[in-house]
């Protein structure tokens, strides 16, 4: 029979996950061990229940509230955000698109460029960000070494850019001249 974990104290925080409490012992509290009647290895019931409990823990970070001033700051925050797109989309929205050339003076990383194209495409097709997406694409075309970034766009990424421009034009978020400019700049 496993030994129950000690009750949480001010120095040993606890996390409750759907009827399971995981207690982090303080440095002075010894870890509870249970006598082994068989294997207490990776497939034992106690290990599986702890693994299941830990898999339910979601660590959330506060959303950034200040736009970045440099490419380094942007990349540091960007890579710390979950890749699901929601917080990254929110982060992009606190940036004035006109500031992109100032932030990315030298260049934008290819992976970041790709991630942004993906988020802009997704949001433009969600129905609420076609104009913002087109504006963001316009100012992305002014970052350092933009031509190099577009040379390495995959077919999928080119299709996403083209569809984003088409959506913005269809919804009258941009005029045909702006759409033509973006198609030429992105090579789509």
């Amino acid at each position: 029979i496993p030994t129950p974990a000690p009750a949480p104290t001010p120095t040993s925080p606890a996390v409750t996950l759907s009827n399971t409490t995981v207690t982090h012992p303080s440095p002075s509290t010894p870890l509870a061990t249970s006598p082994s009647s068989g294997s207490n290895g990776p497939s034992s019931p106690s290990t599986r229940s702890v693994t299941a409990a830990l898999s339910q823990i979601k660590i959330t970070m506060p959303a950034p509230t200040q736009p970045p001033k440099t490419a380094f700051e942007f990349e540091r925050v960007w890579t710390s955000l979950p890749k699901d797109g929601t917080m990254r989309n929110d982060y992009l929205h606190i940036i004035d698109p006109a500031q992109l050339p100032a932030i990315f003076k030298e260049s934008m990383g290819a992976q970041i460029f790709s991630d942004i194209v993906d988020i802009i495409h997704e949001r433009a097709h969600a129905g609420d960000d076609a104009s913002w997406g087109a504006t963001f694409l316009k100012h992305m075309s002014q970052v350092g070494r933009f031509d190099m970034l577009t040379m390495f766009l995959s077919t999928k990424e080119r299709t996403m850019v083209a569809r984003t421009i088409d959506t913005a034009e269809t919804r009258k978020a941009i005029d045909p001249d702006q759409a033509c400019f973006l198609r030429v700049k992105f090579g789509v």
Side-chain angles (χ1 to χ4, degrees):
I1 299 175
T3 305
T9 64
T11 59
S12 64
V15 177
T16 302
L17 307 166
S18 60
N19 299 333
T20 304
T21 301
V22 178
T23 305
H24 181 276
S26 69
S28 61
T29 306
L31 293 173
T33 58
S34 59
S36 180
S37 60
S39 169
N40 199 17
S43 63
S44 72
S46 64
T47 302
R48 282 193 304 264
S49 64
V50 169
T51 302
L54 291 175
S55 70
Q56 294 178 25
I57 295 175
K58 292 195 183 340
I59 299 173
T60 57
M61 298 176 44
T65 57
Q66 297 295 315
K69 292 179 178 57
T70 65
F72 175 78
E73 183 181 350
F74 178 92
E75 187 170 349
R76 181 182 51 78
V77 172
W78 186 260
T79 56
S80 72
L81 296 173
K83 293 182 180 180
D84 69 2
T86 304
M87 287 185 75
R88 285 183 170 188
N89 178 59
D90 294 345
Y91 185 52
L92 292 178
H93 274 77
I94 65 171
I95 300 170
D96 175 4
Q99 292 302 310
L100 290 174
I103 294 168
F104 296 100
K105 294 174 190 151
E106 303 297 318
S107 71
M108 179 183 287
Q111 184 60 52
I112 289 174
F113 187 80
S114 176
D115 291 345
I116 292 173
V117 164
D118 186 42
I119 289 172
I120 289 172
H121 172 261
E122 181 182 307
R123 298 307 306 155
H125 287 83
D128 55 295
D129 280 343
S131 177
W132 174 84
T135 301
F136 213 89
L137 289 175
K138 174 186 162 198
H139 290 289
M140 280 176 66
S141 72
Q142 299 167 2
V143 302
R145 301 182 188 211
F146 174 78
D147 294 337
M148 186 70 87
L149 290 168
T150 58
M151 283 176 47
F152 296 105
L153 282 175
S154 69
T155 303
K156 178 183 173 188
E157 291 163 338
R158 287 183 192 284
T159 301
M160 286 191 290
V161 170
R163 289 186 65 207
T164 300
I165 296 167
D166 292 345
T167 300
E169 185 177 21
T170 302
R171 293 183 182 157
K172 309 271 189 247
I174 58 173
D175 64 45
D177 290 339
Q178 292 170 316
C180 183
F181 169 80
L182 289 174
R183 286 185 186 101
V184 169
K185 287 299 276 184
F186 281 86
V188 297

Coordinates of all heavy atoms in Angstrom, one line a residue, residues 28-68:
S28 N 13.4 20.1 2.8 CA 13.7 19.4 4.0 C 12.7 18.2 4.2 O 13.0 17.4 5.1 CB 13.6 20.3 5.2 OG 12.2 20.8 5.3
T29 N 11.7 18.0 3.4 CA 10.8 16.9 3.5 C 11.3 15.8 2.7 O 11.5 15.9 1.5 CB 9.4 17.3 3.1 OG1 9.0 18.5 3.7 CG2 8.4 16.2 3.3
P30 N 11.5 14.6 3.3 CA 11.9 13.4 2.5 C 10.8 13.0 1.6 O 9.6 13.1 1.9 CB 12.3 12.4 3.5 CG 11.6 12.8 4.7 CD 11.4 14.3 4.7
L31 N 11.1 12.5 0.4 CA 10.1 11.9 -0.5 C 9.5 10.6 0.1 O 10.2 9.8 0.7 CB 10.7 11.6 -1.8 CG 11.1 12.8 -2.6 CD1 11.9 12.4 -3.9 CD2 10.0 13.7 -3.0
A32 N 8.2 10.5 0.0 CA 7.6 9.3 0.5 C 7.8 8.1 -0.4 O 7.8 8.3 -1.7 CB 6.0 9.5 0.6
T33 N 8.1 7.0 0.1 CA 8.4 5.8 -0.7 C 7.4 4.8 -0.3 O 6.9 4.7 0.8 CB 9.8 5.3 -0.6 OG1 10.0 5.0 0.8 CG2 10.8 6.4 -1.1
S34 N 7.1 3.9 -1.2 CA 6.2 2.8 -0.9 C 6.9 1.5 -1.0 O 7.8 1.3 -1.8 CB 5.0 2.8 -1.8 OG 5.4 2.7 -3.2
P35 N 6.6 0.5 -0.1 CA 7.3 -0.8 -0.2 C 6.9 -1.4 -1.6 O 5.8 -1.3 -2.0 CB 6.7 -1.5 1.0 CG 5.5 -0.8 1.5 CD 5.6 0.6 0.9
S36 N 7.8 -2.1 -2.1 CA 7.6 -2.6 -3.4 C 7.3 -4.1 -3.3 O 8.1 -4.9 -2.9 CB 8.9 -2.4 -4.3 OG 8.7 -3.0 -5.5
S37 N 6.0 -4.4 -3.7 CA 5.6 -5.9 -3.8 C 5.9 -6.4 -5.1 O 5.8 -7.6 -5.4 CB 4.2 -6.0 -3.4 OG 3.4 -5.3 -4.4
G38 N 6.3 -5.6 -6.0 CA 6.6 -6.0 -7.4 C 7.4 -4.9 -8.0 O 8.2 -4.2 -7.3
S39 N 7.2 -4.6 -9.2 CA 7.9 -3.5 -9.9 C 7.2 -2.2 -9.6 O 6.0 -2.1 -9.7 CB 8.0 -3.8 -11.4 OG 8.4 -2.7 -12.0
N40 N 8.0 -1.2 -9.3 CA 7.4 0.2 -9.2 C 8.1 1.0 -10.3 O 8.4 2.1 -10.1 CB 7.8 0.7 -7.8 CG 6.9 1.9 -7.5 OD1 5.8 2.1 -8.1 ND2 7.3 2.7 -6.5
G41 N 8.3 0.4 -11.4 CA 8.9 1.0 -12.5 C 8.0 1.8 -13.4 O 6.9 2.2 -12.9
P42 N 8.3 2.1 -14.6 CA 7.6 3.0 -15.4 C 6.1 2.6 -15.7 O 5.3 3.4 -16.0 CB 8.3 3.0 -16.8 CG 9.7 2.4 -16.5 CD 9.5 1.6 -15.3
S43 N 5.8 1.3 -15.5 CA 4.4 0.9 -15.8 C 3.6 0.6 -14.6 O 2.5 0.1 -14.6 CB 4.4 -0.3 -16.7 OG 5.0 -1.4 -16.1
S44 N 4.1 0.9 -13.4 CA 3.4 0.7 -12.2 C 2.2 1.6 -12.0 O 2.2 2.7 -12.6 CB 4.3 0.8 -10.9 OG 4.6 2.1 -10.7
P45 N 1.1 1.2 -11.3 CA 0.0 2.1 -11.2 C 0.3 3.5 -10.6 O -0.2 4.5 -11.0 CB -1.0 1.3 -10.2 CG -0.5 -0.1 -10.4 CD 0.9 -0.1 -10.7
S46 N 1.2 3.5 -9.6 CA 1.5 4.8 -9.0 C 2.2 5.7 -10.0 O 2.0 6.9 -10.0 CB 2.3 4.7 -7.7 OG 3.6 4.1 -8.0
T47 N 3.1 5.2 -10.8 CA 3.8 6.0 -11.8 C 2.9 6.5 -12.8 O 3.0 7.6 -13.3 CB 5.0 5.1 -12.4 OG1 5.9 4.7 -11.4 CG2 5.8 6.0 -13.4
R48 N 2.0 5.6 -13.3 CA 1.0 6.0 -14.3 C 0.1 7.1 -13.8 O -0.2 8.0 -14.5 CB 0.2 4.8 -14.8 CG 0.9 3.9 -15.7 CD 0.0 2.9 -16.4 NE -0.8 2.1 -15.4 CZ -0.4 0.9 -15.1 NH1 0.7 0.3 -15.5 NH2 -1.1 0.2 -14.2
S49 N -0.3 7.0 -12.5 CA -1.2 8.1 -12.0 C -0.5 9.4 -11.9 O -1.1 10.4 -12.2 CB -1.9 7.7 -10.7 OG -0.9 7.5 -9.7
V50 N 0.7 9.4 -11.5 CA 1.5 10.6 -11.4 C 1.8 11.2 -12.8 O 1.6 12.4 -13.0 CB 2.8 10.4 -10.6 CG1 3.7 11.6 -10.8 CG2 2.6 10.1 -9.2
T51 N 2.1 10.3 -13.7 CA 2.3 10.7 -15.1 C 1.1 11.3 -15.7 O 1.1 12.4 -16.3 CB 2.8 9.6 -16.0 OG1 4.0 9.0 -15.4 CG2 3.1 10.0 -17.4
A52 N -0.1 10.7 -15.4 CA -1.3 11.2 -15.9 C -1.6 12.6 -15.3 O -2.1 13.5 -16.0 CB -2.5 10.3 -15.6
A53 N -1.4 12.7 -14.0 CA -1.6 14.0 -13.3 C -0.7 15.1 -13.9 O -1.1 16.2 -14.1 CB -1.4 13.9 -11.8
L54 N 0.5 14.8 -14.1 CA 1.5 15.8 -14.6 C 1.2 16.2 -16.0 O 1.4 17.3 -16.4 CB 2.9 15.2 -14.5 CG 3.5 15.1 -13.1 CD1 4.9 14.4 -13.1 CD2 3.6 16.4 -12.4
S55 N 0.6 15.3 -16.8 CA 0.3 15.6 -18.2 C -0.9 16.6 -18.3 O -1.1 17.2 -19.3 CB -0.1 14.3 -19.0 OG -1.3 13.8 -18.5
Q56 N -1.6 16.7 -17.2 CA -2.8 17.7 -17.1 C -2.4 19.1 -16.7 O -3.1 20.0 -16.8 CB -3.8 17.1 -16.2 CG -4.5 15.9 -16.7 CD -5.5 15.4 -15.7 OE1 -6.1 16.1 -14.9 NE2 -5.8 14.1 -15.7
I57 N -1.2 19.2 -16.2 CA -0.7 20.5 -15.8 C -0.4 21.4 -17.0 O 0.3 21.0 -17.9 CB 0.6 20.4 -14.9 CG1 0.2 19.7 -13.6 CG2 1.1 21.8 -14.6 CD1 1.5 19.4 -12.8
K58 N -1.0 22.5 -17.0 CA -0.7 23.5 -18.1 C -0.1 24.7 -17.5 O -0.8 25.4 -16.6 CB -2.0 23.8 -18.9 CG -2.5 22.6 -19.6 CD -3.6 23.1 -20.6 CE -4.3 22.1 -21.4 NZ -3.8 20.8 -21.7
I59 N 1.0 25.1 -17.9 CA 1.7 26.3 -17.4 C 1.4 27.4 -18.4 O 1.6 27.3 -19.6 CB 3.2 26.1 -17.3 CG1 3.5 25.0 -16.3 CG2 3.9 27.4 -16.9 CD1 4.9 24.6 -16.2
T60 N 0.7 28.5 -17.9 CA 0.4 29.6 -18.8 C 1.2 30.8 -18.3 O 1.5 31.0 -17.2 CB -1.1 29.9 -18.7 OG1 -1.4 30.2 -17.3 CG2 -1.9 28.8 -19.2
M61 N 1.7 31.5 -19.3 CA 2.4 32.7 -19.1 C 1.5 33.9 -19.3 O 0.6 33.8 -20.1 CB 3.6 32.8 -20.1 CG 4.6 31.7 -20.0 SD 5.8 31.7 -21.3 CE 6.3 33.4 -21.3
P62 N 1.8 35.0 -18.7 CA 1.0 36.2 -19.0 C 1.2 36.7 -20.4 O 2.4 36.5 -20.9 CB 1.4 37.2 -18.0 CG 2.8 36.7 -17.5 CD 2.8 35.3 -17.7
A63 N 0.2 37.1 -21.1 CA 0.4 37.6 -22.4 C 1.2 38.9 -22.4 O 1.1 39.7 -21.5 CB -1.0 37.9 -23.0
P64 N 2.1 39.1 -23.4 CA 2.9 40.3 -23.4 C 1.9 41.5 -23.7 O 0.9 41.4 -24.3 CB 3.8 40.1 -24.7 CG 3.7 38.7 -25.0 CD 2.4 38.2 -24.4
T65 N 2.3 42.6 -23.1 CA 1.5 43.8 -23.2 C 2.2 45.0 -23.9 O 1.6 46.0 -24.2 CB 1.0 44.3 -21.8 OG1 2.1 44.5 -21.0 CG2 0.1 43.3 -21.2
Q66 N 3.5 44.8 -24.0 CA 4.3 45.9 -24.7 C 4.9 45.3 -26.0 O 5.4 44.2 -26.1 CB 5.5 46.2 -23.8 CG 5.1 46.9 -22.4 CD 4.4 48.2 -22.6 OE1 4.8 49.0 -23.4 NE2 3.3 48.4 -22.0
P67 N 4.9 46.2 -27.0 CA 5.4 45.7 -28.3 C 7.0 45.7 -28.2 O 7.6 46.4 -27.4 CB 5.0 46.8 -29.3 CG 4.7 48.0 -28.5 CD 4.3 47.5 -27.1
P68 N 7.6 44.8 -29.0 CA 9.1 44.7 -28.9 C 9.7 46.0 -29.6 O 9.1 46.6 -30.4 CB 9.4 43.5 -29.7 CG 8.2 43.4 -30.7 CD 7.0 43.9 -30.0

